[in-house]
Amino acid sequence: MHDRWIDHAIWWHAYPLGFVGAERDALPDGTAPVHRLGRFEPWLDHLVGLGCSGLALGPVFASETHGYDTVDFFRIDPRLGDDGDFDVLVAAARERGIRILLDGVFNHVGRGFERFRAAQDGDADARRWFRWDGDRPADFEGHSRLVELNHDEPAVQQHVAAVMEHWLGRGADGWRLDAAYRVPPSFWRAVLPGVRERFPEAWFVGEVIHGDYPAIVAESGLDSVTQYELWKATWSALNDRNLFELAHALERHSTAVESFAPLTFLGNHDVTRLASRLDTPEHIGLAVAVLMTVGGVPSIYAGDEQGFTGVKEDREFGDDAVRPPFPDGPADLAPFGAPIQELHQRLIGLRRRHPWLVRARTTVEHLTNTTIAFRSSGGPGEELLTLLSVDDAAQRFPGVDDELPPHSWRVVGS
């Protein structure tokens, strides 16, 4: 199998508008850009020191509020800066060998999107860009400010392809495709081949929550999808002391890895942070051990490596707690996050020493409610055995000489 750059990627994922402390709403028309995108540059060495090799950015394009209500896909959000700021960040990343992943919100747009304004003014061609419920535009999951695109419309397909190619041409390496679960697979089948022809090394990952992941990848032509099933099973199994749930998810995950490398994660901009989700703080290490020893392309949500806390709430602005502003640089971080960062460095280092893990198959070899041993295998001579215990007492594992202390993890063969 052809060895691509993505097979060695470990992402550090950040939500830019929150990271830089941007205003909640778009700047008034005519206001000069605020050059904040450069605030990521002091963090690039932190990313590299952590062991990551890619910066996955949340939305950076002109929008009305939170970035997912795009009004212009060809313009950097003025709250972040302008094209020049983007180019400087890409150059700084390139100097360090860091890849860039952009967030493409191609299921819906904000009501200020030029084609939607034209549709409201009676432009019949523009109207075909959107889905309608009678005279009302269809919206995204009840959010009236998010207008759904008509993915059967050739002009929409051409527009999305043009956006992708524009930013890949400016130095991006791939796209996270927001709300891909709402977009017909046929849309990606129509858009991606032409983009790949110009940028054959680009990587495309769709945001998918539920469903048959391998089938979605096969039908859409995407490279990958988000592994929410394993994310949920990891923290839930640790909290409930029910490692059978994790074992079941690992079995399904291993089947998925046979056909593609899922985007694996323990946190992102849409969910409660791991340190707030886990009932037992010591279990952070167990969760990271799972992430770093199973197949897939791992992603660390910025701040999780420092044990940042934050609870997502089901209300307007309920994501704010998991999308906080960051200090000017890593030197300004509080010292109490250092042990969790060292834990991440250790396990990311293990991952980098065994790059075959991206395609590793996983088999569970020992299982009780509170203990699990799973083996990750690549080719000949490529094996790691991961031991986890959420038990209150020390535990013995078959074939392993030493006891595993309570609430701990170990990787054998590393």
Side-chain angles (χ1 to χ4, degrees), residues 34-94:
V34 184
H35 301 284
R36 293 177 170 132
L37 206 53
R39 290 193 54 187
F40 277 100
E41 190 165 347
W43 289 90
L44 296 179
D45 290 331
H46 169 82
L47 181 163
V48 172
L50 195 60
C52 295
S53 57
L55 174 61
L57 292 169
V60 296
F61 308 123
S63 72
E64 293 174 341
T65 58
H66 45 54
Y68 291 94
D69 45 5
T70 316
V71 295
D72 188 346
F73 290 100
F74 290 101
R75 184 162 58 102
I76 297 295
D77 195 300
R79 291 170 289 174
L80 297 173
D82 55 22
D83 276 13
D85 296 302
F86 180 80
D87 292 342
V88 169
L89 179 59
V90 168
R94 284 285 172 272

Side-chain angles (χ1 to χ4, degrees), residues 338-394:
I340 296 175
Q341 181 167 317
E342 290 165 7
L343 165 73
H344 279 76
Q345 286 172 318
R346 247 172 86 198
L347 281 161
I348 293 172
L350 181 150
R351 178 75 177 210
R352 290 174 67 92
R353 291 193 302 276
H354 302 284
W356 53 266
L357 279 165
V358 68
R359 298 280 176 181
R361 310 298 193 272
T362 303
T363 54
V364 174
E365 299 197 348
H366 168 80
L367 180 63
T368 70
N369 282 332
T370 57
T371 61
I372 186 171
F374 60 85
R375 188 176 301 277
S376 297
S377 305
E382 296 175 337
E383 284 192 347
L384 294 176
L385 183 66
T386 302
L387 314 178
L388 308 179
S389 173
V390 294
D391 206 280
D392 296 328

Side-chain angles (χ1 to χ4, degrees), residues 80-278:
L80 297 173
D82 55 22
D83 276 13
D85 296 302
F86 180 80
D87 292 342
V88 169
L89 179 59
V90 168
R94 284 285 172 272
E95 288 173 8
R96 296 163 173 84
I98 297 170
R99 301 281 182 165
I100 299 286
L101 186 72
L102 295 180
D103 202 339
V105 188
F106 301 130
N107 176 68
H108 48 267
V109 295
R111 297 179 77 92
F113 186 67
E114 185 274 332
R115 289 276 79 193
F116 183 66
R117 291 202 307 266
Q120 288 183 305
D121 290 341
D123 184 323
D125 288 338
R127 185 178 173 87
R128 287 198 295 272
W129 279 54
F130 306 96
R131 293 179 52 239
W132 299 85
D133 293 328
D135 291 330
R136 292 179 59 253
D139 60 42
F140 174 61
E141 297 181 351
H143 301 285
S144 61
R145 292 162 69 173
L146 304 179
V147 182
E148 291 211 313
L149 291 165
N150 173 16
H151 296 97
D152 294 328
E153 169 58 36
V156 172
Q157 297 170 4
Q158 293 160 14
H159 182 75
V160 170
V163 171
M164 287 181 169
E165 292 178 8
H166 175 81
W167 293 104
L168 290 169
R170 292 193 79 104
D173 295 283
W175 287 91
R176 172 199 179 269
L177 304 170
D178 183 69
Y181 58 89
R182 294 276 296 191
V183 178
S186 58
F187 177 77
W188 307 120
R189 274 285 172 201
V191 169
L192 293 181
V195 180
R196 290 190 193 278
E197 191 172 333
R198 285 195 58 196
F199 300 95
E201 290 297 309
W203 186 66
F204 302 90
V205 54
E207 182 196 17
V208 175
I209 313 297
H210 307 292
D212 185 339
Y213 294 157
I216 292 167
V217 168
E219 291 168 16
S220 65
L222 295 170
D223 292 299
S224 182
V225 294
T226 51
Q227 226 306 14
Y228 267 91
E229 185 177 284
L230 182 61
W231 161 78
K232 191 271 177 184
T234 300
W235 59 260
S236 177
L238 296 176
N239 281 351
D240 295 345
R241 299 194 185 195
N242 175 20
L243 294 178
F244 283 86
E245 180 184 3
L246 177 60
H248 177 69
L250 286 173
E251 182 181 350
R252 287 175 55 83
H253 178 73
S254 189
T255 300
V257 173
E258 292 176 11
S259 55
F260 75 100
L263 178 67
T264 53
F265 61 95
L266 297 170
N268 62 33
H269 63 295
D270 279 332
V271 301
T272 290
R273 284 195 179 265
L274 182 67
S276 293
R277 178 73 77 176
L278 290 175

